[in-house]
PDB file of all heavy atoms in Angstrom:
ATOM      1  N   VAL A 379       3.829  17.816   8.580  1.00  0.00           N
ATOM      2  CA  VAL A 379       3.340  17.860   7.204  1.00  0.00           C
ATOM      3  C   VAL A 379       3.702  16.599   6.423  1.00  0.00           C
ATOM      4  O   VAL A 379       2.840  15.976   5.798  1.00  0.00           O
ATOM      5  CB  VAL A 379       3.874  19.112   6.470  1.00  0.00           C
ATOM      6  CG1 VAL A 379       3.418  19.106   5.011  1.00  0.00           C
ATOM      7  CG2 VAL A 379       3.393  20.378   7.171  1.00  0.00           C
ATOM      8  N   SER A 380       4.967  16.192   6.452  1.00  0.00           N
ATOM      9  CA  SER A 380       5.391  15.068   5.610  1.00  0.00           C
ATOM     10  C   SER A 380       4.743  13.755   6.045  1.00  0.00           C
ATOM     11  O   SER A 380       4.271  12.973   5.202  1.00  0.00           O
ATOM     12  CB  SER A 380       6.915  14.934   5.625  1.00  0.00           C
ATOM     13  OG  SER A 380       7.387  14.577   6.909  1.00  0.00           O
ATOM     14  N   TYR A 381       4.684  13.508   7.365  1.00  0.00           N
ATOM     15  CA  TYR A 381       4.103  12.255   7.833  1.00  0.00           C
ATOM     16  C   TYR A 381       2.586  12.237   7.642  1.00  0.00           C
ATOM     17  O   TYR A 381       2.010  11.208   7.263  1.00  0.00           O
ATOM     18  CB  TYR A 381       4.454  12.015   9.303  1.00  0.00           C
ATOM     19  CG  TYR A 381       5.914  11.680   9.522  1.00  0.00           C
ATOM     20  CD1 TYR A 381       6.614  12.202  10.604  1.00  0.00           C
ATOM     21  CD2 TYR A 381       6.590  10.842   8.649  1.00  0.00           C
ATOM     22  CE1 TYR A 381       7.951  11.897  10.808  1.00  0.00           C
ATOM     23  CE2 TYR A 381       7.926  10.538   8.843  1.00  0.00           C
ATOM     24  CZ  TYR A 381       8.606  11.071   9.917  1.00  0.00           C
ATOM     25  OH  TYR A 381       9.922  10.768  10.114  1.00  0.00           O
ATOM     26  N   SER A 382       1.925  13.344   7.874  1.00  0.00           N
ATOM     27  CA  SER A 382       0.478  13.414   7.652  1.00  0.00           C
ATOM     28  C   SER A 382       0.156  13.208   6.176  1.00  0.00           C
ATOM     29  O   SER A 382      -0.803  12.504   5.821  1.00  0.00           O
ATOM     30  CB  SER A 382      -0.069  14.768   8.115  1.00  0.00           C
ATOM     31  OG  SER A 382       0.132  14.957   9.492  1.00  0.00           O
ATOM     32  N   THR A 383       0.950  13.813   5.313  1.00  0.00           N
ATOM     33  CA  THR A 383       0.739  13.671   3.874  1.00  0.00           C
ATOM     34  C   THR A 383       0.935  12.220   3.435  1.00  0.00           C
ATOM     35  O   THR A 383       0.140  11.685   2.645  1.00  0.00           O
ATOM     36  CB  THR A 383       1.698  14.586   3.096  1.00  0.00           C
ATOM     37  OG1 THR A 383       1.471  15.943   3.477  1.00  0.00           O
ATOM     38  CG2 THR A 383       1.498  14.442   1.599  1.00  0.00           C
ATOM     39  N   ALA A 384       1.964  11.566   3.943  1.00  0.00           N
ATOM     40  CA  ALA A 384       2.217  10.172   3.586  1.00  0.00           C
ATOM     41  C   ALA A 384       1.065   9.267   4.014  1.00  0.00           C
ATOM     42  O   ALA A 384       0.647   8.365   3.269  1.00  0.00           O
ATOM     43  CB  ALA A 384       3.521   9.699   4.226  1.00  0.00           C
ATOM     44  N   GLN A 385       0.530   9.500   5.203  1.00  0.00           N
ATOM     45  CA  GLN A 385      -0.595   8.695   5.682  1.00  0.00           C
ATOM     46  C   GLN A 385      -1.827   8.880   4.800  1.00  0.00           C
ATOM     47  O   GLN A 385      -2.483   7.906   4.412  1.00  0.00           O
ATOM     48  CB  GLN A 385      -0.920   9.062   7.135  1.00  0.00           C
ATOM     49  CG  GLN A 385       0.150   8.696   8.140  1.00  0.00           C
ATOM     50  CD  GLN A 385       0.135   7.216   8.515  1.00  0.00           C
ATOM     51  OE1 GLN A 385      -0.632   6.420   7.977  1.00  0.00           O
ATOM     52  NE2 GLN A 385       1.003   6.845   9.450  1.00  0.00           N
ATOM     53  N   LEU A 386      -2.145  10.123   4.481  1.00  0.00           N
ATOM     54  CA  LEU A 386      -3.316  10.368   3.639  1.00  0.00           C
ATOM     55  C   LEU A 386      -3.074   9.862   2.219  1.00  0.00           C
ATOM     56  O   LEU A 386      -4.007   9.380   1.562  1.00  0.00           O
ATOM     57  CB  LEU A 386      -3.662  11.851   3.624  1.00  0.00           C
ATOM     58  CG  LEU A 386      -4.973  12.217   2.902  1.00  0.00           C
ATOM     59  CD1 LEU A 386      -6.153  11.433   3.462  1.00  0.00           C
ATOM     60  CD2 LEU A 386      -5.232  13.713   2.973  1.00  0.00           C
ATOM     61  N   ALA A 387      -1.836   9.947   1.753  1.00  0.00           N
ATOM     62  CA  ALA A 387      -1.512   9.420   0.425  1.00  0.00           C
ATOM     63  C   ALA A 387      -1.786   7.917   0.369  1.00  0.00           C
ATOM     64  O   ALA A 387      -2.302   7.398  -0.639  1.00  0.00           O
ATOM     65  CB  ALA A 387      -0.053   9.712   0.089  1.00  0.00           C
ATOM     66  N   MET A 388      -1.456   7.187   1.451  1.00  0.00           N
ATOM     67  CA  MET A 388      -1.739   5.750   1.500  1.00  0.00           C
ATOM     68  C   MET A 388      -3.240   5.482   1.518  1.00  0.00           C
ATOM     69  O   MET A 388      -3.725   4.539   0.875  1.00  0.00           O
ATOM     70  CB  MET A 388      -1.074   5.148   2.743  1.00  0.00           C
ATOM     71  CG  MET A 388       0.440   5.070   2.673  1.00  0.00           C
ATOM     72  SD  MET A 388       1.027   3.875   1.436  1.00  0.00           S
ATOM     73  CE  MET A 388       0.485   2.328   2.186  1.00  0.00           C
ATOM     74  N   VAL A 389      -3.974   6.309   2.235  1.00  0.00           N
ATOM     75  CA  VAL A 389      -5.436   6.172   2.258  1.00  0.00           C
ATOM     76  C   VAL A 389      -6.013   6.339   0.859  1.00  0.00           C
ATOM     77  O   VAL A 389      -6.826   5.525   0.393  1.00  0.00           O
ATOM     78  CB  VAL A 389      -6.053   7.210   3.227  1.00  0.00           C
ATOM     79  CG1 VAL A 389      -7.566   7.320   3.017  1.00  0.00           C
ATOM     80  CG2 VAL A 389      -5.745   6.843   4.669  1.00  0.00           C
ATOM     81  N   ARG A 390      -5.607   7.397   0.181  1.00  0.00           N
ATOM     82  CA  ARG A 390      -6.128   7.678  -1.155  1.00  0.00           C
ATOM     83  C   ARG A 390      -5.782   6.559  -2.139  1.00  0.00           C
ATOM     84  O   ARG A 390      -6.585   6.196  -3.005  1.00  0.00           O
ATOM     85  CB  ARG A 390      -5.562   9.000  -1.685  1.00  0.00           C
ATOM     86  CG  ARG A 390      -6.021  10.229  -0.915  1.00  0.00           C
ATOM     87  CD  ARG A 390      -5.430  11.509  -1.493  1.00  0.00           C
ATOM     88  NE  ARG A 390      -6.068  11.895  -2.757  1.00  0.00           N
ATOM     89  CZ  ARG A 390      -5.561  11.698  -3.960  1.00  0.00           C
ATOM     90  NH1 ARG A 390      -4.385  11.101  -4.100  1.00  0.00           N
ATOM     91  NH2 ARG A 390      -6.205  12.097  -5.033  1.00  0.00           N
ATOM     92  N   ALA A 391      -4.586   6.011  -2.003  1.00  0.00           N
ATOM     93  CA  ALA A 391      -4.124   4.999  -2.940  1.00  0.00           C
ATOM     94  C   ALA A 391      -4.771   3.637  -2.719  1.00  0.00           C
ATOM     95  O   ALA A 391      -5.025   2.901  -3.688  1.00  0.00           O
ATOM     96  CB  ALA A 391      -2.601   4.872  -2.841  1.00  0.00           C
ATOM     97  N   TRP A 392      -5.082   3.299  -1.449  1.00  0.00           N
ATOM     98  CA  TRP A 392      -5.450   1.920  -1.152  1.00  0.00           C
ATOM     99  C   TRP A 392      -6.901   1.690  -0.740  1.00  0.00           C
ATOM    100  O   TRP A 392      -7.443   0.603  -1.002  1.00  0.00           O
ATOM    101  CB  TRP A 392      -4.519   1.367  -0.078  1.00  0.00           C
ATOM    102  CG  TRP A 392      -3.153   1.119  -0.608  1.00  0.00           C
ATOM    103  CD1 TRP A 392      -2.012   1.833  -0.342  1.00  0.00           C
ATOM    104  CD2 TRP A 392      -2.759   0.095  -1.527  1.00  0.00           C
ATOM    105  NE1 TRP A 392      -0.946   1.319  -1.027  1.00  0.00           N
ATOM    106  CE2 TRP A 392      -1.376   0.248  -1.764  1.00  0.00           C
ATOM    107  CE3 TRP A 392      -3.452  -0.940  -2.166  1.00  0.00           C
ATOM    108  CZ2 TRP A 392      -0.666  -0.595  -2.617  1.00  0.00           C
ATOM    109  CZ3 TRP A 392      -2.745  -1.782  -3.013  1.00  0.00           C
ATOM    110  CH2 TRP A 392      -1.379  -1.611  -3.242  1.00  0.00           C
ATOM    111  N   ILE A 393      -7.533   2.630  -0.094  1.00  0.00           N
ATOM    112  CA  ILE A 393      -8.906   2.390   0.366  1.00  0.00           C
ATOM    113  C   ILE A 393      -9.826   1.944  -0.778  1.00  0.00           C
ATOM    114  O   ILE A 393     -10.579   0.963  -0.637  1.00  0.00           O
ATOM    115  CB  ILE A 393      -9.491   3.633   1.077  1.00  0.00           C
ATOM    116  CG1 ILE A 393      -8.830   3.808   2.460  1.00  0.00           C
ATOM    117  CG2 ILE A 393     -11.006   3.527   1.226  1.00  0.00           C
ATOM    118  CD1 ILE A 393      -9.205   2.729   3.469  1.00  0.00           C
ATOM    119  N   PRO A 394      -9.803   2.598  -1.941  1.00  0.00           N
ATOM    120  CA  PRO A 394     -10.693   2.146  -3.028  1.00  0.00           C
ATOM    121  C   PRO A 394     -10.355   0.756  -3.567  1.00  0.00           C
ATOM    122  O   PRO A 394     -11.202   0.114  -4.203  1.00  0.00           O
ATOM    123  CB  PRO A 394     -10.480   3.212  -4.121  1.00  0.00           C
ATOM    124  CG  PRO A 394      -9.936   4.399  -3.411  1.00  0.00           C
ATOM    125  CD  PRO A 394      -9.079   3.829  -2.313  1.00  0.00           C
ATOM    126  N   LYS A 395      -9.154   0.269  -3.323  1.00  0.00           N
ATOM    127  CA  LYS A 395      -8.710  -1.005  -3.884  1.00  0.00           C
ATOM    128  C   LYS A 395      -8.942  -2.186  -2.947  1.00  0.00           C
ATOM    129  O   LYS A 395      -8.836  -3.344  -3.369  1.00  0.00           O
ATOM    130  CB  LYS A 395      -7.219  -0.930  -4.238  1.00  0.00           C
ATOM    131  CG  LYS A 395      -6.889   0.042  -5.363  1.00  0.00           C
ATOM    132  CD  LYS A 395      -5.392   0.097  -5.625  1.00  0.00           C
ATOM    133  CE  LYS A 395      -5.052   0.955  -6.841  1.00  0.00           C
ATOM    134  NZ  LYS A 395      -5.482   2.362  -6.681  1.00  0.00           N
ATOM    135  N   LEU A 396      -9.225  -1.927  -1.682  1.00  0.00           N
ATOM    136  CA  LEU A 396      -9.368  -3.009  -0.719  1.00  0.00           C
ATOM    137  C   LEU A 396     -10.741  -3.672  -0.812  1.00  0.00           C
ATOM    138  O   LEU A 396     -11.744  -3.000  -1.056  1.00  0.00           O
ATOM    139  CB  LEU A 396      -9.165  -2.483   0.710  1.00  0.00           C
ATOM    140  CG  LEU A 396      -7.758  -2.022   1.075  1.00  0.00           C
ATOM    141  CD1 LEU A 396      -7.755  -1.439   2.491  1.00  0.00           C
ATOM    142  CD2 LEU A 396      -6.758  -3.169   0.969  1.00  0.00           C
ATOM    143  N   PRO A 397     -10.793  -4.983  -0.592  1.00  0.00           N
ATOM    144  CA  PRO A 397     -12.099  -5.662  -0.555  1.00  0.00           C
ATOM    145  C   PRO A 397     -12.860  -5.298   0.713  1.00  0.00           C
ATOM    146  O   PRO A 397     -12.276  -4.770   1.672  1.00  0.00           O
ATOM    147  CB  PRO A 397     -11.718  -7.140  -0.561  1.00  0.00           C
ATOM    148  CG  PRO A 397     -10.362  -7.178   0.073  1.00  0.00           C
ATOM    149  CD  PRO A 397      -9.674  -5.913  -0.375  1.00  0.00           C
ATOM    150  N   LYS A 398     -14.131  -5.587   0.736  1.00  0.00           N
ATOM    151  CA  LYS A 398     -14.974  -5.242   1.884  1.00  0.00           C
ATOM    152  C   LYS A 398     -14.470  -5.892   3.166  1.00  0.00           C
ATOM    153  O   LYS A 398     -14.564  -5.305   4.251  1.00  0.00           O
ATOM    154  CB  LYS A 398     -16.420  -5.657   1.608  1.00  0.00           C
ATOM    155  CG  LYS A 398     -17.408  -5.249   2.682  1.00  0.00           C
ATOM    156  CD  LYS A 398     -18.831  -5.596   2.279  1.00  0.00           C
ATOM    157  CE  LYS A 398     -19.821  -5.158   3.350  1.00  0.00           C
ATOM    158  NZ  LYS A 398     -21.231  -5.462   2.959  1.00  0.00           N
ATOM    159  N   THR A 399     -13.935  -7.093   3.055  1.00  0.00           N
ATOM    160  CA  THR A 399     -13.450  -7.807   4.246  1.00  0.00           C
ATOM    161  C   THR A 399     -12.000  -7.467   4.570  1.00  0.00           C
ATOM    162  O   THR A 399     -11.445  -7.953   5.551  1.00  0.00           O
ATOM    163  CB  THR A 399     -13.559  -9.327   4.048  1.00  0.00           C
ATOM    164  OG1 THR A 399     -12.841  -9.695   2.849  1.00  0.00           O
ATOM    165  CG2 THR A 399     -15.012  -9.759   3.928  1.00  0.00           C
TER     166      THR A 399
END
Side-chain angles (χ1 to χ4, degrees):
V379 177
S380 66
Y381 289 140
S382 298
T383 301
Q385 293 281 4
L386 187 55
M388 289 292 292
V389 166
R390 294 180 74 259
W392 288 108
I393 288 291
K395 294 178 174 61
L396 292 176
K398 185 175 181 179
T399 56

